[in-house]
Structure formats: structure tokens, C-alpha cells
Amino acid sequence: DAKTTQPNSMESNEEEPVHLPCNHSTISGTDYIHWYRQLPSQGPEYVIHGLTSNVNNRMASLAIAEDRKSSTLILHRATLRDAAVYYCILRDIRNQKVTFGIGTKLQVIP
Amino acid sequence: DAGVIQSPRHEVTEMGQEVTLRCKPISGHDYLFWYRQTMMRGLELLIYFNNNVPIDDSGMPEDRFSAKMPNASFSTLKIQPSEPRDSAVYFCASRPGTSVLLSYNEQFFGPGTRLTVL
């Protein structure tokens, strides 16, 4: 399985943009990049996904490197409610399995 | 929409006892997943079903663990006998079936069951 590498933790000031990096150097052509987040004492929730092009939705933006070996989740304006563990995941389109790593714990400072 | 429902939310039991965790997926979802989360190992996929049929149980740790899905609206994860190392939060998730338009894998997670085995 292709694996991802993320920093264990990051900090951000409230109302500032946050860039959460993810490396996936062994990504294959059939792997989609997904991001989930897990708020304290809750189950994970879907944030965004992409294949090759950058993606935007109401929660965040996903910037994917041209060689697809890395990606960045962008929260445009961090709020205290964005404090969570963020998981970068690769999913082969031919498979339903996803492998969650340890993720990045984001702390938002008021 | 009530979302994925899990019960119980908390379970405390003694080593050697049988534990049954329950999950009701979102109506209409074809896939159901069971995960286990611990501090040491993070979030691990145990097993998943498609249309009530187990597809991949390679994540099930050992024979003490079993999962069933007798119908589209109910699944159980059973541990017999339970051991202290089984203490974790167990999540159930569901998602719609695959289609040409659904290139992503948005899984909807339940609130989890916190299991403590003494």
C-alpha cells in the first residue's frame, strides 16, 4: 500500500491560513488523495479529495504537486473549531480500503 | 438523517467476557466498515462489507474477533473472549455504493464505542 508522511503536529493562529503538508512519494496512478479530520471525541469526517488537479470546497482547498508525490491541505482561515487531527490518505480507485496513519494534530491558538 | 448509529457508546467489561458492538449504517449505503483506534496504532481497518457480504477481513487481529452483517441495516462486531489489549475505540462507518460519479471515498463515521477490558 502506498503510504503517506505527515508532521505529527502543527500550530496556527486563529483566523490565519493553515497549510498542512503530506508526502506520498510512492503514489500510483490509480491512487486518489483524500483528507479526513477527526475532532476530539468524534469519528473522522471527510474533508476533501483529488486526483491531479487542485480542488476547492466549502471546507478547504487541496493543492496537489505536479508529480503527485506531495499535497497540501489549505484551511483558508483557521478557527478554534478546526483544531483536530488531519489525516492524509491514499485510496486506490480499484479498492475500497483506506489506511489512516497517525495524522497531523492541528492546534489553533486564539 | 440520523447518521451512523453505534451502541453502546461505552462498554466496560472484564477479561474473558464476550463483547458485542453494534452498528446501524446510513440507509441506502452499500458499504460498511469497522475500525479500531488506539493511541499506539492509530485508526486501523478491521473488516468491511459490501451489500452485507464481508469483502476483506485481513485487518481482524485474531480469531477472537468476528463480524457479521445479517441485513443492510445492522452489523455486529464480537470479541470472545475479550482481553485488556482489546481496549480501544471502535468505529463503524458506511458509504454509498460505487458509481461512475463517485470517484471519492467519503465514509461516514459513527460516534464510536469506547471499550475498556479490565
Side-chain angles (χ1 to χ4, degrees):
Chain A
D1 291 341
K3 298 202 182 303
T4 63
T5 304
Q6 300 177 252
N8 289 336
S9 62
M10 290 184 64
E11 281 185 358
S12 173
N13 293 320
E14 192 176 11
E15 299 188 4
E16 290 188 357
V18 183
H19 291 234
L20 298 166
C22 181
N23 289 321
H24 28 79
S25 59
T26 58
I27 191 170
S28 72
T30 51
D31 284 329
Y32 276 80
I33 302 161
H34 298 263
W35 283 81
Y36 279 73
R37 73 178 185 181
Q38 186 172 18
L39 301 172
S41 301
Q42 295 187 26
E45 64 175 347
Y46 167 86
V47 177
I48 200 167
H49 80 285
L51 183 62
T52 56
S53 304
N54 294 343
V55 183
N56 299 298
N57 67 20
R58 63 176 179 81
M59 291 181 70
S61 296
L62 176 60
I64 302 173
E66 193 169 336
D67 63 5
R68 300 210 323 129
K69 294 186 177 183
S70 65
S71 61
T72 302
L73 179 71
I74 303 166
L75 307 180
H76 295 287
R77 197 161 163 267
T79 69
L80 296 178
R81 288 175 295 179
D82 291 323
V85 177
Y86 287 78
Y87 299 97
C88 170
I89 299 158
L90 299 182
R91 182 182 81 92
D92 191 316
I93 188 66
R94 300 166 295 183
N95 193 330
Q96 298 304 319
K97 290 176 65 170
V98 294
T99 301
F100 288 79
I102 301 299
T104 296
K105 185 173 184 178
L106 175 66
Q107 182 179 0
V108 180
I109 302 168
Chain B
D1 188 350
V4 175
I5 299 172
Q6 292 187 247
S7 64
R9 294 294 310 277
H10 301 273
E11 176 81 28
V12 180
T13 190
E14 292 188 348
M15 182 174 62
Q17 296 298 306
E18 177 180 296
V19 175
T20 299
L21 310 181
R22 298 173 176 80
C23 175
K24 177 179 170 55
I26 293 173
S27 178
H29 283 191
D30 294 339
Y31 288 89
L32 184 139
F33 304 81
W34 281 101
Y35 291 86
R36 177 174 68 176
Q37 186 171 39
T38 61
M39 289 291 292
M40 293 297 295
R41 301 175 66 90
L43 194 61
E44 305 172 278
L45 176 65
L46 300 177
I47 185 172
Y48 79 91
F49 296 82
N50 180 24
N51 292 323
N52 314 335
V53 176
I55 303 300
D56 188 333
D57 64 355
S58 59
M60 296 286 264
E62 49 198 274
D63 292 344
R64 297 184 298 105
F65 285 70
S66 63
K68 294 182 179 180
M69 192 164 186
N71 57 62
S73 59
F74 184 66
S75 177
T76 59
L77 178 67
K78 186 175 295 187
I79 308 172
Q80 167 62 19
S82 59
E83 297 182 3
R85 60 192 169 122
D86 301 330
S87 298
V89 180
Y90 292 81
F91 288 102
C92 175
S94 70
R95 61 152 290 185
T98 303
S99 75
V100 174
L101 298 178
L102 289 176
S103 62
Y104 61 91
N105 186 36
E106 182 174 358
Q107 297 183 21
F108 296 80
F109 282 77
T113 295
R114 181 173 295 278
L115 173 65
T116 302
V117 183
L118 303 174

